[in-house]
Amino acid sequence: MRIFLLPGRKGGDEWLLKDNGKVTLICLFSSWCAYSVASVGLVESFAKLAGDKVNITIIWEDKGEHQWLNHQHIAKDNMLWQSLWDEYGFAGTYFKRKIWPTFLVVNEEGVLTQVFTEYSEKSVAKLKSLLQR
């Protein structure tokens, strides 16, 4: 399933979803949202537990390239997963995002199966449940 291309942090455009038969966690964040920034640590912990079982993509809905590249740049530069920029909010509109952070789970067949929001204990529990498949 290929939805659309977005600029990647490492240069060039990248597909939002990869066709590799894995579950994908998509995180809709904004650099100026404190809960999004706090969620980077949550995603990092999840990534360590998940290993290569789950694709992870963070989409930063920042209004300008300078903000995307420079605000919280140390955390962003150290991410081992896909980090994309969505200047015009295409992903947020497509997935009907209401708040940041929003987490979306896309199954192996490319079907959206879960949407959950906020940085909370419930979010942690839902991320952990992805690993018990």
Side-chain angles (χ1 to χ4, degrees):
M1 175 179 168
R2 298 206 185 256
I3 299 174
F4 43 80
L5 290 164
L6 292 171
R9 191 133 177 102
K10 296 176 182 165
D13 290 341
E14 299 179 32
W15 287 106
L16 175 58
L17 295 175
K18 299 175 183 176
D19 292 328
N20 62 5
K22 296 181 185 178
V23 170
T24 299
L25 173 66
I26 300 171
C27 310
L28 303 178
F29 289 175
S30 176
S31 295
W32 57 265
C33 170
Y35 294 110
S36 293
V37 173
S39 294
V40 171
L42 176 66
V43 173
E44 184 175 17
S45 296
F46 174 75
K48 288 177 184 174
L49 291 172
D52 65 350
K53 296 177 191 171
V54 178
N55 297 320
I56 300 172
T57 298
I58 292 183
I59 300 174
W60 297 95
E61 295 183 280
D62 295 335
K63 295 297 180 199
E65 186 175 25
H66 184 267
Q67 182 183 30
W68 172 56
L69 290 174
N70 297 303
H71 191 75
Q72 302 294 330
H73 72 90
I74 293 172
K76 290 176 183 175
D77 289 344
N78 290 325
M79 290 178 186
L80 301 176
W81 52 86
Q82 190 176 36
S83 181
L84 306 175
W85 175 43
D86 188 4
E87 178 179 20
Y88 301 108
F90 293 130
T93 299
Y94 184 84
F95 292 115
K96 299 178 178 124
R97 177 201 47 76
K98 292 185 174 44
I99 65 170
W100 289 293
T102 294
F103 302 91
L104 306 123
V105 179
V106 178
N107 71 13
E108 298 87 344
E109 290 81 36
V111 176
L112 180 64
T113 59
Q114 289 185 56
V115 177
F116 50 100
T117 58
E118 302 176 6
Y119 179 78
S120 67
E121 292 293 322
K122 288 181 182 179
S123 297
V124 172
K126 288 180 181 183
L127 286 175
K128 286 181 181 177
S129 73
L130 289 177
L131 301 176
Q132 298 170 0
R133 293 176 164 222

